[in-house]
């Protein structure tokens, strides 16, 4: 089982180069990372190109997905309820991210069912769990616990990401399991989420009109 | 006060924690405050009182923490939410848990990281840097207001 950190932001977005991030990820127990700034293989860690699309509306999102480089893991920044339903229904999208910061009803049972049918994963971002304190962190933990209820019912894939901008933001696999237990994820569920990126990348691509 | 007999003493567990970056000096008291704050904000006062976190030592890039037996998982989770000691950004990574300090000390690597930076050429100017591990290089850059850090490997530095 290959464990993947589903999103990191190396230099120039962060203060750590891609090869150093890969080196640290290997020490943390990861076999693969999804990077927003490059791809390749460093220190025995496979680096997958990821692209984060932040769109104000569905039209912008569709344009962004069409322009995504081939082979990249396409991640959409979550918005309101309607936007998220459209995002998980859009072919070419692999991951819906940022639900910890989205509104309370941004991801409902309808979106969960669509995500399950279309094989789109929802990202569990650990950065707010680590960095926030007090009421803000409580909100994020509530969102993830709620997300987990929907996941148990509809069985859509989950991914777990550190969203590290520095090698100091990376956490070990054991730490990730511990942090996910804060909102009720069992160890097997967390390990399964850490290895779910393989299945997403093998997902069939949208039909494209050629010529 | 007469010490309690061993059967009546509370059982404890000790955590060996790696402090990153290893060349960064983090005092025991400052580290304790950071860990205690993380435990309290994550689990609340009641659970923090049950965990009883304490920092026994902090040197050469490693710290030994103490907690009540059965609470070591909670303390490890809280340690993973520590992002800074005072104003200094750090990360704590739990390496091992044991019932004795001696067992943890046996795991410590001989000789700590270098405390004095060497000078490397980064970009077009010479900058202080710490080299550790096999290929890790942490370069310190003097900014207008404050010092920033860039984390590289030997290979990156040659390319730059």
């Amino acid at each position: 089982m290959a464990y993947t950190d589903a999103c990191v932001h190396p230099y120039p977005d962060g203060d750590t180069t891609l090869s150093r991030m890969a080196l640290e990820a290997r020490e943390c127990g990861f076999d693969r990372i999804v990077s927003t700034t490059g791809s390749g293989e460093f220190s025995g860690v496979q680096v997958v190109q990821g692209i984060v699309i932040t769109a104000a509306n569905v039209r912008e999102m569709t344009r962004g997905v069409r322009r995504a480089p081939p082979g990249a893991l396409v991640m959409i920044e979550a918005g309101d309820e309607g936007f998220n339903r459209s995002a998980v229904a859009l072919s070419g999208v692999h991951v819906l991210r940022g639900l910890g910061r989205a509104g309370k009803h941004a991801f409902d049972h309808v979106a969960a069912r669509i995500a399950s049918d279309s094989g789109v994963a929802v990202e569990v971002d650990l950065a707010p769990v680590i960095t926030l304190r007090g009421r803000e962190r409580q909100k994020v933990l509530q969102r993830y616990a709620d997300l987990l209820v929907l996941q148990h019912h509809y069985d859509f894939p989950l991914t777990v990401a550190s969203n590290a901008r520095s090698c100091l933001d990376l956490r070990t696999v054991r730490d990730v399991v511990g942090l996910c237990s804060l909102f009720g994820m069992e160890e097997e569920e967390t390990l399964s989420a850490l290895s779910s990126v393989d299945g997403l990348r093998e997902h069939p691509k949208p039909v494209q009109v050629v010529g | 006060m007469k010490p309690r007999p061993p059967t009546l003493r509370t059982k404890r567990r000790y955590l060996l924690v790696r402090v990153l970056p290893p060349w960064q000096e983090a005092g025991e008291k400052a580290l304790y405050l950071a860990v205690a704050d993380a435990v309290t904000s994550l689990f609340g006062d009641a659970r923090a009182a049950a965990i009883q976190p304490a920092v026994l030592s902090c040197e050469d890039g490693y710290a030994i923490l103490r907690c009540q037996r059965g609470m070591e998982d909670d303390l490890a989770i809280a340690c993973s939410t520590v992002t800074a000691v005072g104003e200094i950004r750090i990360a704590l990574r739990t390496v091992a848990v044991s019932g004795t300090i001696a067992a943890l000390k046996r795991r410590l690597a001989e000789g700590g990281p270098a405390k004095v930076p060497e000078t490397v050429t980064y970009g077009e100017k010479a900058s202080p840097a710490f080299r550790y591990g096999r290929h890790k290089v942490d370069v310190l850059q003097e900014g207008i207001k404050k010092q920033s850090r860039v984390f590289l490997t030997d290979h990156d530095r040659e390319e730059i």
Side-chain angles (χ1 to χ4, degrees):
Chain A
M1 204 183 271
Y3 297 137
T4 308
D5 189 330
C7 193
V8 296
H9 308 268
Y11 185 84
D13 293 343
D15 63 6
T16 304
T17 59
L18 183 55
S19 60
R20 177 65 181 273
M21 197 71 99
L23 185 62
E24 297 280 350
R26 191 187 64 179
E27 288 183 4
C28 288
F30 290 98
D31 307 296
R32 187 186 300 126
I33 54 176
V34 177
S35 162
T36 53
T37 59
S39 58
E41 184 159 345
F42 303 90
S43 312
V45 173
Q46 189 191 356
V47 181
V48 177
Q49 168 83 58
I51 178 164
V52 177
I53 297 172
T54 309
N57 52 48
V58 177
R59 201 172 173 180
E60 262 183 41
M61 173 175 66
T62 313
R63 200 181 306 138
V65 172
R66 273 199 208 126
R67 288 175 183 173
L73 196 78
V74 179
M75 296 173 274
I76 305 288
E77 198 69 49
D80 61 12
E81 193 181 335
F83 180 89
N84 293 342
R85 286 184 188 178
S86 305
V88 292
L90 186 64
S91 40
V93 174
H94 297 111
V95 180
L96 182 68
R97 70 195 296 272
L99 281 174
R101 293 180 296 275
K104 194 176 180 182
H105 303 291
F107 191 79
D108 59 3
H109 63 286
V110 179
R113 191 186 303 148
I114 299 169
S116 176
D117 292 344
S118 54
V120 173
V122 176
E123 184 189 275
V124 174
D125 178 7
L126 292 179
V129 179
I130 292 167
T131 55
L132 296 179
R133 293 285 186 272
R135 180 75 193 121
E136 295 298 312
R137 177 156 64 187
Q138 290 166 26
K139 266 189 201 170
V140 174
L141 292 174
Q142 281 169 13
R143 296 274 188 285
Y144 289 161
D146 189 43
L147 187 67
L148 214 56
V149 171
L150 290 171
Q151 200 271 337
H152 287 161
H153 198 274
Y154 291 101
D155 199 29
F156 52 85
L158 287 176
T159 60
V160 182
S162 66
N163 276 298
R165 289 177 188 277
S166 166
C167 58
L168 302 179
D169 297 334
L170 286 172
R171 294 294 178 266
T172 61
V173 171
R174 191 189 295 177
D175 286 340
V176 170
V177 170
L179 288 166
C180 288
S181 73
L182 292 172
F183 47 86
M185 258 177 112
E186 300 289 332
E187 186 177 350
E188 295 80 37
E189 287 177 319
T190 309
L191 295 179
S192 165
L194 284 172
S195 53
S196 65
V197 170
D198 269 337
L200 299 175
R201 294 180 71 213
E202 288 159 8
H203 197 62
K205 289 178 183 172
V207 176
Q208 288 182 338
V209 179
V210 183
Chain B
M1 193 175 72
K2 197 176 176 185
R4 284 186 182 183
T7 52
L8 292 178
R9 286 179 205 159
T10 51
K11 301 289 186 279
R12 288 165 171 171
R13 281 286 179 268
Y14 302 92
L15 274 72
L16 180 64
V17 173
R18 190 151 190 236
V19 183
L20 296 175
W23 46 265
Q24 189 75 61
E25 293 283 347
E28 283 169 27
K29 189 174 179 183
L31 184 62
Y32 167 73
L33 291 174
V35 171
D37 179 55
V39 171
T40 310
S41 73
L42 193 60
F43 296 115
D45 289 337
R47 192 101 161 262
I51 293 170
Q52 291 185 20
V55 176
L56 303 184
S57 71
C58 179
E59 56 187 9
D60 296 339
Y62 286 92
I64 294 178
L65 312 185
R66 187 184 67 201
C67 65
Q68 293 294 301
R69 188 174 69 178
M71 297 292 179
E72 54 271 17
D73 289 342
D74 288 349
L75 183 59
I77 294 170
C79 283
S80 66
T81 66
V82 173
T83 55
V85 169
E87 297 288 308
I88 307 162
R89 281 207 64 206
I90 61 145
L92 300 180
R93 290 198 188 140
T94 307
V95 178
V97 180
S98 175
T100 62
I101 300 171
L104 294 181
K105 284 195 170 167
R106 279 198 294 271
R107 294 184 66 128
L108 286 173
E110 287 293 319
K115 300 284 181 194
V116 182
E118 59 182 275
T119 304
V120 297
T121 308
Y122 176 66
E124 291 176 351
K125 59 181 181 179
S127 303
F130 292 92
R131 189 188 298 272
Y132 58 96
R134 282 189 179 173
H135 308 289
K136 297 178 186 177
V137 183
D138 298 353
V139 180
L140 307 179
Q141 285 185 308
E142 292 295 339
I144 296 168
K145 286 185 178 174
K146 61 175 185 178
Q147 197 177 55
S148 64
R149 299 179 288 191
V150 185
F151 300 97
L152 315 166
T153 59
D154 276 331
H155 182 66
D156 292 325
R157 200 172 62 79
E158 282 163 15
E159 279 186 355
I160 290 165

